């Protein structure tokens, strides 16, 4: 599988080729570093993934992303969740996992 990541201005910042097995849920995590090792800032990036079967034919690649839900809009039908500045319906969400960071508050 070939992966390419571009910045919001369209500049390709990362490319890589990875061996994957057939089937769903092949993980890919990007650490924010470019192909040259440059650490890129937080922001909006676009990932393109292409794959070929054993005969060299291009096959479809579906992707999913993970993120922190920043808001839920229950006034819409269906309700909308905002993740990374993008809105998603509940039917687009595959799973919800509790954050590993805990939040505590104190009062005086």
């Amino acid at each position: 599988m070939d992966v390419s990541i571009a910045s919001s201005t369209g500049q390709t910042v990362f490319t890589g080729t990875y061996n994957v097995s057939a089937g769903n849920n092949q993980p890919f995590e990007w650490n924010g570093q470019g192909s040259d090792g440059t650490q890129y800032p937080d922001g909006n990036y676009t990932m393109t993934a292409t794959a070929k079967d054993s005969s060299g034919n291009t096959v479809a690649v579906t992707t999913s992303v993970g993120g922190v839900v920043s808001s839920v809009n229950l006034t819409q039908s269906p309700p909308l969740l905002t993740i990374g500045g993008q809105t998603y319906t509940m039917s687009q969400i595959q799973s919800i996992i509790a954050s590993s960071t805990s939040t505590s508050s104190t009062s005086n």
Side-chain angles (χ1 to χ4, degrees):
M1 174 174 70
D2 293 326
V3 174
S4 177
I5 297 179
S7 69
S8 60
T9 62
Q11 173 192 11
T12 299
V13 296
F14 176 85
T15 57
T17 300
Y18 303 90
N19 291 324
V20 295
S21 302
N24 295 330
N25 300 319
Q26 301 294 316
F28 171 78
E29 291 185 29
W30 183 52
N31 62 5
Q33 291 183 352
S35 297
D36 64 358
T38 300
Q39 183 66 48
Y40 284 90
D42 290 349
N44 293 322
Y45 294 85
T46 302
M47 181 182 89
T48 303
T50 55
K52 296 187 181 211
D53 64 16
S54 59
S55 300
N57 299 312
T58 301
V59 294
V61 176
T62 57
T63 59
S64 63
V65 297
V68 176
V69 175
S70 58
S71 69
V72 177
N73 184 343
L74 298 175
T75 66
Q76 299 298 308
S77 182
L80 298 175
L81 287 81
T82 301
I83 303 170
Q86 299 291 316
T87 56
Y88 300 90
T89 62
M90 285 299 295
S91 64
Q92 294 174 292
I93 306 299
Q94 292 182 346
S95 65
I96 297 175
I97 302 168
S99 174
S100 61
T101 58
S102 61
T103 305
S104 62
S105 62
T106 59
S107 58
N108 295 335

